[in-house]
Amino acid sequence: MSNLQFESSVSELIRLDGPLSMGSGSALPRWQRKAIEGKERGLALSPSSLRKTPSKGLRRTPSRKGSERSPRKTPGRKTSKSPGKDTTKQNGGGGDRFIPNRALMNIARSHFKVTQENAATSERGDAENSSTYNVDLQERLNDNRDAKILTFKQRAPKAQEGYSNNLKVLYSSSKSTGPKKGPSRFIPQSADRILDAPDLRDDFYLNLMDWSSKNIVAIALDNAVYLWNANSGEIDHLFQLESVGDYISSLAWLKDSDVIAVGNSLGQVLLWDIVKHKCLRCMEGHPTRVASLGWNAYILSSGARSGGVHHHDVRIADHLVAANDVHSQEVCGLAWSPDGKYLASGGNDNVLNVWDSSRALAGSEPLFSLTQHQAAVKAISWCPWQPNLLASGGGTADRTIRFWNTQTGLCVKTTDAKSQVSSILWSRAYKELVTGHGYAQNQLTIWKFTTMERICDLKGHTNRVLTMCLSPDETTVVSAAADETLRFWNCFAHEKTKKSSTTTKSKDPVKSFITRTIR
């Protein structure tokens, strides 16, 4: 009997197409035991749900509304797409740092705040707590939508007006878009000619040289006037004052003529014909020396040490037609605009006055009395292509170049020249300026208009530059300095002039450095 039972049990074990029957003493599978335990607790769990690993993240109460669903992903669940799994491996091998998921962080942070605030009201009904939780959680998520990892509680203070960051060059492009530095053409750094001028008075307030439209340079040496013909190189002695101690204080050519006006220390204004070597007229009226002169057609304006400006009509016998006494000290700068509509005067009282022609010839007050300069205003020059623009330069205590709009009286630009400014000239061809300076370099400086970029410095004088003049063709500048020399600088040579000069030199070479003595 026992043998039959053994054979039947063996046959059941080796049969594969039937269910395996377990004995009464055998252990139940794990999923059956879990199912039995779940039924005892009143939870009907399926085998598939028991096989899944429960989430380790924060749990939330499910909403009773069908339209609101909880997020499928929880902060603690690790999936194949989670950045933490890959970055953890990379960190072990020296990779990038771990960056958490922003959306998951916002949900966890919002859940924490909601549960913390609702802890005091947890004794209310489940329905009320559930709806309150969902509303609060939604508001927290909306508030955290624009949240950042690092935020400032207060905004950074605003910069003051006009503040410029000194480190902005670090963020600029490597290619410069501004104007190119340095001269765009060749400018000789040495003078073409040097003329000796013995007994030239070292007086900043005087105007002792002028260049006529007929290419003749007039220079005052103490009590005498000499003429140098730039075409032929001849020197002519015009006249000399007879009284001992008297001296020439100013010179000015009448445009397109052979007549020159000469002011002296006696307060007289003389008109001389250089062809006839004859004094045409002597006009008196100033009690002190005449330091500046300016022509406007047949009207000659003169400024004296007394601070007065007189206007002479050289066509009539009673020459004095008007007088302006607005300066408290010597008038050292005087210039009419190219169109003859404005007159500018600068004085040792640091004042620059501007009249229109009607006010000046009527003896009225000036249109503008400009007091921005801190030293004597001798350097005065009108822009030849913009008649309403006036340039002025200050003395040792000022050292600035200022540009004025004579229609409004406003200073449109200021440039620090670093030294005393004695004279200003304009170049039409290159839209540039050249200025004469004193201590410490005693140089001529060429500037680019309107940026006022320093193009170059012309050095050679051993003492301060007193005055400058421009040639009739506007290519050469002559400077008279306290070292008793006149130097001619080829600053604004045109291209055609350069070609012709090189051709002439190749045929008939001459010395580039010529020294002449005016005696």
Side-chain angles (χ1 to χ4, degrees), residues 287-350:
T288 55
R289 69 178 186 181
V290 180
S292 55
L293 296 170
W295 285 96
N296 182 16
Y298 49 85
I299 298 296
L300 175 62
S301 300
S302 58
R305 175 178 278 181
S306 61
V309 178
H310 290 182
H311 305 284
H312 312 271
D313 189 341
V314 298
R315 303 172 301 174
I316 58 179
D318 191 6
H319 56 85
L320 184 61
V321 295
N324 305 105
D325 295 326
V326 293
H327 288 280
S328 60
Q329 296 187 37
E330 184 169 17
V331 181
C332 51
L334 199 62
W336 282 91
S337 61
D339 55 5
K341 294 182 179 180
Y342 295 96
L343 172 66
S345 66
N348 193 25
D349 54 359
N350 311 341

Side-chain angles (χ1 to χ4, degrees), residues 6 42 55 73 80 96 115 139 148 186 188 205-206 229 237 249 254 307 326 374 396 405 418 420 426 435 512:
F6 176 76
S55 175
K73 295 181 180 180
S80 59
D96 297 336
T115 54
E139 292 179 356
K148 298 180 180 179
F186 173 73
Y205 305 103
L206 303 183
N229 193 322
H237 176 231
S249 55
L254 177 60
V326 293
Q374 303 299 318
T396 305
N405 184 343
K418 307 295 184 182
Q420 179 188 63
W426 297 80
T435 54
S512 59

Side-chain angles (χ1 to χ4, degrees), residues 211-461:
W211 201 330
S212 74
S213 58
K214 295 188 176 182
N215 211 15
I216 297 177
V217 179
I219 181 72
L221 303 179
D222 195 19
N223 61 347
V225 176
Y226 290 87
L227 306 176
W228 180 76
N229 193 322
N231 295 323
S232 61
E234 297 179 355
I235 301 172
D236 187 14
H237 176 231
L238 184 60
F239 75 96
Q240 184 173 351
L241 297 178
E242 297 177 356
S243 301
V244 179
D246 296 338
Y247 57 89
I248 307 299
S249 55
S250 57
L251 295 172
W253 286 97
L254 177 60
K255 187 177 180 180
D256 299 330
S257 71
D258 296 323
V259 177
I260 185 173
V262 181
N264 58 28
S265 59
L266 302 174
Q268 300 173 342
V269 179
L270 309 177
L271 297 181
W272 275 81
D273 188 337
I274 64 169
V275 176
K276 298 179 181 179
H277 281 65
K278 181 180 180 181
C279 180
L280 302 177
R281 192 168 189 176
C282 177
M283 298 179 289
E284 299 181 351
H286 288 292
T288 55
R289 69 178 186 181
V290 180
S292 55
L293 296 170
W295 285 96
N296 182 16
Y298 49 85
I299 298 296
L300 175 62
S301 300
S302 58
R305 175 178 278 181
S306 61
V309 178
H310 290 182
H311 305 284
H312 312 271
D313 189 341
V314 298
R315 303 172 301 174
I316 58 179
D318 191 6
H319 56 85
L320 184 61
V321 295
N324 305 105
D325 295 326
V326 293
H327 288 280
S328 60
Q329 296 187 37
E330 184 169 17
V331 181
C332 51
L334 199 62
W336 282 91
S337 61
D339 55 5
K341 294 182 179 180
Y342 295 96
L343 172 66
S345 66
N348 193 25
D349 54 359
N350 311 341
V351 178
L352 174 65
N353 292 315
V354 179
W355 290 268
D356 58 7
S357 59
S358 59
R359 283 176 172 266
L361 299 179
S364 302
E365 295 295 323
L367 284 174
F368 306 105
S369 185
L370 310 172
T371 60
Q372 281 84 339
H373 283 291
Q374 303 299 318
V377 185
K378 178 189 177 184
I380 299 176
S381 183
W382 293 88
C383 180
W385 62 86
Q386 194 172 345
N388 297 326
L389 184 62
L390 175 65
S392 61
T396 305
D398 184 73
R399 304 183 299 275
T400 61
I401 303 171
R402 295 179 181 270
F403 297 89
W404 309 89
N405 184 343
T406 56
Q407 290 183 336
T408 61
L410 298 177
C411 180
V412 296
K413 192 174 184 61
T414 303
T415 301
D416 187 2
K418 307 295 184 182
S419 61
Q420 179 188 63
V421 184
S422 60
S423 53
I424 301 175
L425 299 175
W426 297 80
S427 171
R428 298 172 186 261
Y430 295 99
K431 297 294 186 293
E432 295 173 354
L433 295 90
V434 57
T435 54
H437 300 276
Y439 180 82
Q441 296 182 353
N442 308 313
Q443 84 283 5
L444 280 70
T445 302
I446 301 178
W447 310 82
K448 190 69 177 179
F449 187 80
T450 61
T451 61
M452 289 306 291
E453 176 189 356
R454 188 188 296 264
I455 297 178
C456 69
D457 292 331
L458 305 177
K459 301 177 183 179
H461 285 292

